[in-house]
Amino acid sequence: GRVAINADLLKAVRSRGQNLHIQLIEVSDPQFALINRSAGETNVDDLLRQFNATHGNAAEATPSGETSESDFTVAEFQIDRFALTNGKVELIDLTGESLKAVGASQINLTINDAAMGRSLHAVLDAAVLGETKNLSVEIDTEAIDRTFRVTPVDLKIDLSPVSLAPISAFVTDLHGLTHGTFESHLNIHLGAVMPGGQGATLLDGTILAQGLRFNDSARATTGDFAAKLKIAADVAKGNLQIDTLDVRMGQLQVSGKGRATGLFTSAPSMSSLEIVGRNVDLEKLGRYYPPLESLVQKRIGGPFDFSVQGGGTATSPKLKVELDLTRAAIVWPGQFLKAKGVALVVESTIDATSSAVGSRTLHSRWAIQLADQRAEGSFNMSVDSTSSKPATTFDIAIESNALD
């Protein structure tokens, strides 16, 4: 590879390194290799060990909240253009009988007009796991500070269909994946999920994985996955906006729409909120994601359905939840057994009201249908904050037919 830099050295010298103006940084034909060896380690592990041995105590030497001497700061800087062209990253597997190599090539990265106090816009494109360019990424950041820290704000990712099979030897978390293609077209506003970021997080776009095939000693299965999403969430404020939620995997379908605000406050509000799941089969999903299989431990087998509906007004929100486990088998050794086809439906409704003077009332009703037996109950809670001594009262009732 080749590196070329054009800079105003005279200005840097006169300002004692506090005013840096670089007209061009150009990196041509760089190549990087990640080598996976038989011991389960890579060549990067060697570099990390050497780095930690040399700089391992650097973080401990600087008290929390203070700036390290290694943090480079300047008064002014500007880079007119940074360009990386025709880069290549290779993953080399030495664990099998024959050498395998995959990676990305034709990597181009361009950044123009980078300067202190300005946001950054970067554009990257590459050919991933093939000879044809199929990846395009655009990144926008917060304004760059004096220490050159960059906080991403917006991402735009377009990845055309790419085969996942070649990387199965390098990523053990793929759990025996042997075939499949993946593509995504996403616009992401990171918000508060990014350290240093603020506000809501927005995810808008599609994800598609087809022909996924897993084959290991424990299971062999195939399937497709598709998701169409337009969701905004602000966890700090407890706000959720679902314009589009459509997830499908085999027979599984999860859809949703609506809005909720102030979910973690004393006055939550919901507007036409609806989330519906059909044919949710944890046993089958566990074949694609083994940690879920370990969590379920075959206690729930077969599909089930659920729905969540929210509405009402700001002063009187309403929530209804329904879980239908009729088609699922439940095995809880020594505690509970239910065969497939035996009715088991759980329903719950919650209504809340609040007055202008500060009193609040919560009313909840629930019902459980198991085979031909049914139990119902209610829970009421009132909080009177109008007097000098706030009072909370409870009322609980349970009704059922003869349970066996």
Side-chain angles (χ1 to χ4, degrees), residues 88 101 103-104 129 137 212 231 300 306 322 354:
K88 185 177 182 180
L129 303 178
V137 179
L212 300 176
I231 301 173
I300 301 178
F306 72 87
E322 181 175 328
S354 59

Side-chain angles (χ1 to χ4, degrees), residues 109-122:
L109 173 62
T110 303
I111 302 173
N112 293 320
D113 298 323
M116 185 179 300
R118 295 185 198 170
S119 60
L120 193 71
H121 180 73

Side-chain angles (χ1 to χ4, degrees), residues 165-381:
I167 64 173
S168 60
F170 301 90
V171 185
T172 57
D173 286 344
L174 292 180
H175 300 293
L177 177 69
T178 58
H179 295 82
T181 62
F182 178 83
E183 67 175 294
S184 66
H185 307 278
L186 297 172
N187 291 306
I188 305 171
H189 179 74
L190 294 169
V193 299
M194 191 71 191
Q198 297 180 349
T201 298
L202 172 65
L203 179 61
D204 182 6
T206 59
I207 301 172
L208 180 63
Q210 294 182 301
L212 300 176
R213 184 180 302 171
F214 297 81
N215 187 14
D216 60 23
S217 59
R219 66 197 188 286
T221 188
T222 60
D224 298 334
F225 172 86
K228 187 175 183 180
L229 310 165
K230 187 174 183 181
I231 301 173
D234 190 331
V235 177
K237 295 182 178 179
N239 296 343
L240 175 66
Q241 174 73 44
I242 303 177
D243 293 323
T244 305
L245 172 60
D246 186 358
V247 178
R248 300 170 185 266
M249 187 169 188
Q251 297 296 315
L252 178 147
Q253 297 181 25
V254 178
S255 60
K257 61 181 181 179
R259 181 184 181 189
T261 59
L263 290 176
F264 308 131
T265 68
S266 59
S269 175
M270 287 168 281
S271 176
S272 302
L273 179 66
E274 181 179 45
I275 301 175
V276 178
R278 297 285 181 256
N279 301 308
V280 181
D281 193 327
L282 300 180
E283 187 177 21
K284 287 184 178 180
L285 291 175
R287 298 174 187 170
Y288 299 97
Y289 187 62
L292 178 61
E293 190 174 40
S294 301
L295 180 65
V296 174
Q297 295 182 348
K298 298 183 179 180
R299 289 172 176 168
I300 301 178
F304 63 88
D305 305 326
F306 72 87
S307 67
V308 178
Q309 295 177 312
T313 64
T315 58
S316 182
K318 302 179 185 295
L319 182 67
K320 180 180 179 181
V321 179
E322 181 175 328
L323 176 63
D324 188 346
L325 293 157
T326 299
R327 294 181 294 156
I330 302 177
V331 179
W332 214 278
Q335 299 183 49
F336 184 77
L337 297 174
K338 188 194 82 70
K340 292 182 179 180
V342 176
L344 176 56
V345 180
V346 181
E347 300 174 347
S348 178
T349 59
I350 302 174
D351 301 323
T353 57
S354 59
S355 67
V357 293
S359 62
R360 298 188 299 274
T361 301
L362 178 69
H363 175 66
S364 173
R365 286 197 60 85
W366 55 267
I368 300 176
Q369 180 76 39
L370 177 58
D372 59 350
Q373 302 175 38
R374 183 177 179 85
E376 298 181 357
S378 64
F379 171 81
N380 299 296
M381 182 180 71

